[in-house]
Amino acid sequence: MKRRGPVLQAVLGEWQSRIGLAILFVTLIAAVFGQLLEPYGIDQQVGGTLDPPSSAHWLGTDGGGVDLVTLLIAGARVSLIVGFAGAAVAMVIGGLVGVLSGFFGGKTDAALMRVTDYFLVLPDVPLLIIVAAIWGRSLQNIVLIIGLIYWTSTARLIRAQVKSVRERVYVRRAQALGASNTRLIFRHIVPQIAPLLIANTVLMVAQAIFLETFITFLGLGDPSAISWGKLIENSFKDDAVLNGAWWAVVPPGLAVTIVILACTLVGQSMEDALNPRLRVGHLSVRRFRVRPALRERDGA
Amino acid sequence: MGRYAAKRIGFALITVLVAITLNFVLFRALPGDAVSALRCKACTAAFRAAQRHDLGLDRPLVTQYGLYLKGIASGDLGSSLRTEAPVRGAIWEAIKNTVPMVTLGTVFSIVFGIIAGVISAWRRGTFVDKITQQTALAFYSMPTQWLALLIVLFVAGAVGLPTSGLADPSIDILGDASTWSILVDRFQHMVLPSLTLGLVLYGDYSLIVRSAMLETLGEDYVLTARAKGLSSWRIVWRHGLRNALLPIVTLVALSLGFVIGGTYTIEFIFSYPGIGYATVEAIDQRDYPILQGIFLLVTFSVIGFNLIADLLYPKLDPRVVSS
């Protein structure tokens, strides 16, 4: 029998992370097969303004008379795409900076970390607003912005890890045998830090989805894309709150909350497995990131 | 200590310069300047040209940068594209409203965050710990604007507190209102936005305090304290929390700067005329000078809070300086 890796074991072993995985799986299914599941069209007016839930429309209709179940499923697609793509961009930039900085050390490290420090201190929300306002409102730009804002904490984390892996005996031996830097990085170091990078990305997906709702609520989102953030914004714009239309307000936010919770649970149990110090709990501060609107950037 | 402080202050000053420069670059060097993005009915080509001239956008970049630095040095942040009022005055008005609201929310979250975090860490693994942690995680995961909407929808009506604006517009219609009733009215308008902010931050803070406490409670000196026969109360508060303060202060100080920036959605939903509301309005109107001013202000406050945290460290943990 093949032994499961410690990460997989940890993720499948705890009930919290199993629930998290199940939620992510269901959301993913909804996002991928969304078009087949949506009962109506996303532009199709099927009822009155803010109709309450009924047997035909389980979650009622929004301010434009569009079925909210349909919109919620369509929103899953956009929110997840933005979440995963934004996290991926952050991971690539952060991973690259972290690996280069940690591997080469010296002047490269000093220069890259200086840049990272400045990015860490600059408040990202105003930055994000300015960039979104100037670059224009599209999903690609949101993904880019999310990546540009979140790469710093990944870079820090990866740099620390690479610095320690780089000094391990097997890496030094490979180096002594004449392995090139490229080979050392891609064959010997990156595979070692990959699980950590993945755990970090899962946590980042949550942050990215969160940030998307925020950007959208500020009116800087893609005007044509239906995301959960957009649905929350619409419920506010359509005065759903004033009309007591909870069915337009509660579901999209709940969906975001649940998915973020799921990502956090899965990501953390992965981190715990990778870093035994975290699991002991009293040995290290777990890296909770303060949310985008009020973040602390680099927890550890 | 002196060298450490000088280093931190130096770093803060350089960061301020970087922020100022970035603020300049972002607004001028990117394609499409502030004027071409301006949306208004009277925006003819001639008007735009005049605006560009007024703002100095038709001069070489280096000259513009010089003028910009000079303006900031003398506290002049330009004037709003929409109302033509000076940015500094507009921001000052907004800050006066934001600061009390944010203070109330932050104090609420710090107090409850520390209490919940400490109890949770102290009683690790128990039912109380689980409930506290799950609640905190739930608040941690909620989008701020959504929580605000929920509070307007479900809480405001139940407790009978106002959900919009800074003050009751009809308060002095029937003769002069007393100072006391004005204050009470202002406070009532502040409660719900503060509560939203407080709950959001509570999630973050209690989780952070819990993990910081868990770390210190695992230290040898806690074991020693226990062996000496000290009461749990004394161990937790004197030996545990005081040593856990370092990471807590870091994170609180770091987030304080962002809190000012984080009130955007809350103030917008509660129509509370502070910095956040001004920002959302300025975004909507593409009023770049206001946005620039707010960006600088928030950046400076973040850098300021960071510096304070850095300078506080040696007091909390003398090891910081030597390392």
Side-chain angles (χ1 to χ4, degrees):
Chain A
M1 205 177 84
K2 200 183 161 208
R3 256 188 73 217
R4 285 188 200 146
V7 177
L8 204 59
Q9 209 166 11
V11 172
L12 294 175
E14 285 172 48
W15 65 269
Q16 283 110 323
S17 48
R18 270 200 297 229
I19 291 178
L21 271 186
I23 293 170
L24 285 185
F25 186 69
V26 170
T27 323
L28 220 60
I29 295 284
V32 173
F33 299 104
Q35 262 141 344
L36 303 173
L37 298 168
E38 288 162 13
Y40 305 93
I42 52 169
D43 302 319
Q44 192 185 356
Q45 194 180 348
V46 292
T49 301
L50 294 172
D51 276 352
S54 61
S55 57
H57 310 292
W58 291 354
L59 292 173
T61 60
D62 76 348
V66 182
D67 180 61
L68 272 167
V69 175
T70 310
L71 290 175
L72 204 60
I73 296 173
R77 193 161 51 238
V78 174
S79 286
L80 284 196
I81 290 176
V82 170
F84 279 94
V89 173
M91 188 183 81
V92 169
I93 302 177
L96 203 67
V97 172
V99 167
L100 289 180
S101 182
F103 185 83
F104 291 106
K107 277 184 184 153
T108 321
D109 184 32
L112 285 174
M113 280 305 111
R114 189 45 74 84
V115 174
T116 313
D117 277 349
Y118 289 133
F119 267 89
L120 273 170
V121 180
L122 292 177
D124 40 33
V125 175
L127 191 69
L128 158 172
I129 290 166
I130 290 167
V131 175
I134 294 171
W135 281 0
R137 301 154 59 189
S138 72
L139 279 186
Q140 290 98 303
N141 284 349
I142 291 182
V143 167
L144 274 178
I145 291 170
I146 290 173
L148 283 178
I149 284 176
Y150 283 148
W151 66 269
T152 45
S153 59
T154 310
R156 280 281 184 94
L157 185 76
I158 297 302
R159 169 180 172 268
Q161 199 66 22
V162 169
K163 266 177 103 99
S164 107
V165 172
R166 199 203 180 305
E167 296 308 318
R168 288 198 193 153
V169 180
Y170 77 91
V171 178
R172 310 211 71 135
R173 279 189 191 142
Q175 197 169 19
L177 288 173
S180 67
N181 284 339
T182 330
R183 191 179 165 83
L184 279 179
I185 290 176
F186 287 104
R187 284 299 296 257
H188 298 284
I189 291 177
V190 169
Q192 275 293 315
I193 59 162
L196 187 72
L197 207 53
I198 293 169
N200 192 49
T201 310
V202 174
L203 290 173
M204 202 73 83
V205 170
Q207 302 294 318
I209 292 177
F210 188 92
L211 193 60
E212 190 274 334
T213 70
F214 183 73
I215 297 176
T216 309
F217 196 83
L218 292 181
L220 297 170
D222 188 327
S224 60
I226 303 287
S227 66
W228 287 334
K230 185 85 184 163
L231 294 182
I232 299 176
E233 190 208 359
N234 284 349
S235 76
F236 179 64
K237 290 231 160 109
D238 296 342
D239 287 335
V241 171
L242 290 180
N243 294 308
W246 56 266
W247 55 88
V249 182
V250 177
L254 199 59
V256 173
T257 308
I258 288 174
V259 168
I260 292 182
L261 209 54
C263 287
T264 310
L265 292 176
V266 173
Q268 276 181 353
S269 78
M270 285 169 86
E271 267 193 343
D272 287 357
L274 291 167
N275 187 349
R277 280 170 62 91
L278 285 174
R279 199 183 351 211
V280 178
H282 60 273
L283 287 175
S284 175
V285 179
R286 208 202 271 273
R287 297 172 317 109
F288 272 104
R289 295 180 188 82
V290 178
R291 291 115 53 93
L294 357 99
R295 306 167 348 100
E296 113 291 333
R297 303 289 187 119
D298 199 2
Chain B
M1 174 66 205
R3 264 192 69 192
Y4 171 81
K7 228 173 135 183
R8 300 321 305 172
I9 293 172
F11 178 75
L13 286 180
I14 296 173
T15 319
V16 164
L17 247 165
V18 171
I20 289 176
T21 309
L22 193 70
N23 198 19
F24 177 82
V25 172
L26 276 176
F27 279 95
R28 326 265 152 136
L30 283 169
D33 58 35
V35 173
S36 66
L38 189 64
R39 290 191 206 148
C40 62
K41 284 185 195 124
C43 291
T44 58
F47 173 81
R48 284 180 197 282
Q51 277 282 322
R52 279 207 177 87
H53 184 74
D54 283 352
L55 293 169
L57 292 176
D58 51 356
R59 289 189 229 178
L61 272 179
V62 182
T63 325
Q64 283 189 45
Y65 186 58
L67 286 173
Y68 166 78
L69 284 184
K70 223 169 113 185
I72 287 179
S74 61
D76 177 16
L77 297 170
S79 38
S80 160
L81 289 180
R82 194 169 46 95
T83 61
E84 299 195 347
V87 168
R88 198 170 55 165
I91 291 183
W92 175 238
E93 280 305 311
I95 284 197
K96 276 198 299 196
N97 296 334
T98 295
V99 167
M101 192 272 278
V102 164
T103 312
L104 188 66
T106 312
V107 169
F108 170 89
S109 60
I110 290 180
V111 170
F112 284 92
I114 286 186
I115 293 176
V118 167
I119 292 177
S120 188
W122 183 14
R123 292 267 168 259
R124 182 153 69 107
T126 62
F127 183 69
V128 181
D129 176 30
K130 276 183 191 131
I131 291 289
T132 317
Q133 248 199 312
Q134 303 300 342
T135 321
L137 258 180
F139 280 122
Y140 173 81
S141 307
M142 283 180 196
T144 319
Q145 68 272 29
W146 184 64
L147 184 63
L149 288 176
L150 288 189
I151 285 182
V152 175
L153 196 57
F154 297 115
V155 179
V159 296
L161 283 167
T163 57
S164 102
L166 181 67
D168 189 349
S170 62
I171 191 162
D172 49 5
I173 279 183
L174 306 165
D176 280 337
S178 66
T179 320
W180 175 246
S181 63
I182 290 177
L183 273 179
V184 169
D185 180 58
R186 285 287 289 268
F187 182 73
Q188 283 178 339
H189 281 81
M190 220 164 70
V191 170
L192 289 182
S194 301
L195 178 71
T196 314
L197 186 67
L199 285 177
V200 166
L201 289 175
Y202 163 80
D204 294 338
Y205 288 169
S206 72
L207 290 170
I208 289 162
V209 171
R210 180 180 182 274
S211 32
M213 276 299 286
L214 283 179
E215 185 179 3
T216 48
L217 288 182
E219 296 278 0
D220 288 343
Y221 56 77
V222 171
L223 196 64
T224 311
R226 185 153 286 168
K228 284 198 300 191
L230 299 183
S231 66
S232 325
W233 181 261
R234 203 178 161 83
I235 294 172
V236 167
W237 294 101
R238 291 289 295 272
H239 295 252
L241 185 62
R242 287 187 71 163
N243 282 298
L245 273 181
L246 185 70
I248 296 172
V249 167
T250 321
L251 295 175
V252 170
L254 278 173
S255 63
L256 275 184
F258 290 99
V259 167
I260 299 179
T263 55
Y264 297 121
T265 52
I266 295 176
E267 286 185 358
F268 189 54
I269 287 175
F270 288 99
S271 311
Y272 192 85
I275 278 292
Y277 192 79
T279 310
V280 181
E281 250 193 342
I283 294 172
D284 210 40
Q285 317 266 358
R286 297 291 186 268
D287 196 340
Y288 288 109
I290 294 261
L291 280 179
Q292 247 181 322
I294 294 176
F295 177 67
L296 276 185
L297 173 89
V298 176
T299 314
F300 290 171
S301 59
V302 170
I303 296 171
F305 282 122
N306 271 318
L307 184 63
I308 293 173
D310 279 343
L311 296 181
L312 267 179
Y313 287 160
K315 296 250 178 282
L316 294 168
D317 186 348
R319 286 172 299 185
V320 171
V321 184
S322 52
S323 66

